Amino acid sequence: MAQDTGRRGAADEGCGAEGGPAPRTSTTRTRPQRRTRTRQNKQRAAVSVRLSTTERAQVKAAADHTGASLAKFMAQASLAAAHDINRVAANLLDLRGTIRELVAARTELARIGNNVNQIARALNAGGDPVGAEATLVAVRRAAARVEAAAQVLAERA
């Protein structure tokens, strides 16, 4: 029969009940509790960007040149643009103006093409084409507009 000590719980041998771990005492070393981040801090918002193969290659080359990953480079470039919004807005307005110029030149070239067809029909019929000189001037003017707009776009690429 076991000796009755008048108390319940673990034996006096210093080990836990039924052979479990010993209770911690002041000499037992404890690990500092790990700070857990909230779910909000663990996940960052994702942004999807669609690039053509050529655009992706250009951005990847620039990222490689700086030693950054593609995602990091795009994030940093976007933030840099956001901090200098006036310059970015000016560039976008410039680009929109250039595109408007190209559209206007295309429209003018379509009208000129119609005139050239009428001149060709008159020449084939043996007549004297009226307005051939004015049409030639318009062709040169439209070609110069297209060339200027294309040059602006080429310099930006």
Side-chain angles (χ1 to χ4, degrees):
M1 181 166 161
Q3 232 177 348
D4 188 16
T5 59
R7 60 180 199 191
R8 296 181 183 184
D12 288 334
E13 297 158 0
C15 60
E18 300 180 12
R24 290 192 176 155
T25 63
S26 61
T27 60
T28 305
R29 211 170 159 188
T30 60
R31 288 189 305 184
Q33 264 196 342
R34 221 172 142 175
R35 249 179 44 183
T36 58
R37 296 190 304 189
T38 63
R39 182 171 177 85
Q40 185 181 25
N41 290 338
K42 285 183 186 178
Q43 295 178 344
R44 294 188 231 168
V47 176
S48 176
V49 178
R50 294 180 191 264
L51 300 172
S52 69
T53 305
T54 305
E55 291 169 336
R56 188 181 190 289
Q58 289 174 341
V59 174
K60 179 71 173 132
D64 290 345
H65 182 72
T66 62
S69 68
L70 183 60
K72 185 174 185 176
F73 179 82
M74 290 184 75
Q76 289 175 340
S78 298
L79 288 171
H83 288 296
D84 195 2
I85 194 67
N86 291 332
R87 184 176 60 86
V88 171
N91 284 341
L92 288 176
L93 288 174
D94 253 3
L95 182 59
R96 288 183 188 141
T98 303
I99 291 170
R100 275 195 299 271
E101 181 65 23
L102 280 172
V103 169
R106 182 184 67 187
T107 303
E108 187 174 341
L109 284 171
R111 289 182 185 137
I112 292 167
N114 187 31
N115 290 346
V116 169
N117 285 337
Q118 291 174 5
I119 292 169
R121 187 174 19 169
L123 284 173
N124 288 334
D128 188 22
V130 179
E133 197 61 41
T135 300
L136 190 56
V137 169
V139 167
R140 288 186 181 131
R141 185 178 58 239
R145 288 174 66 188
V146 168
E147 180 63 32
Q151 185 64 35
V152 167
L153 290 176
E155 289 171 359
R156 296 177 133 231

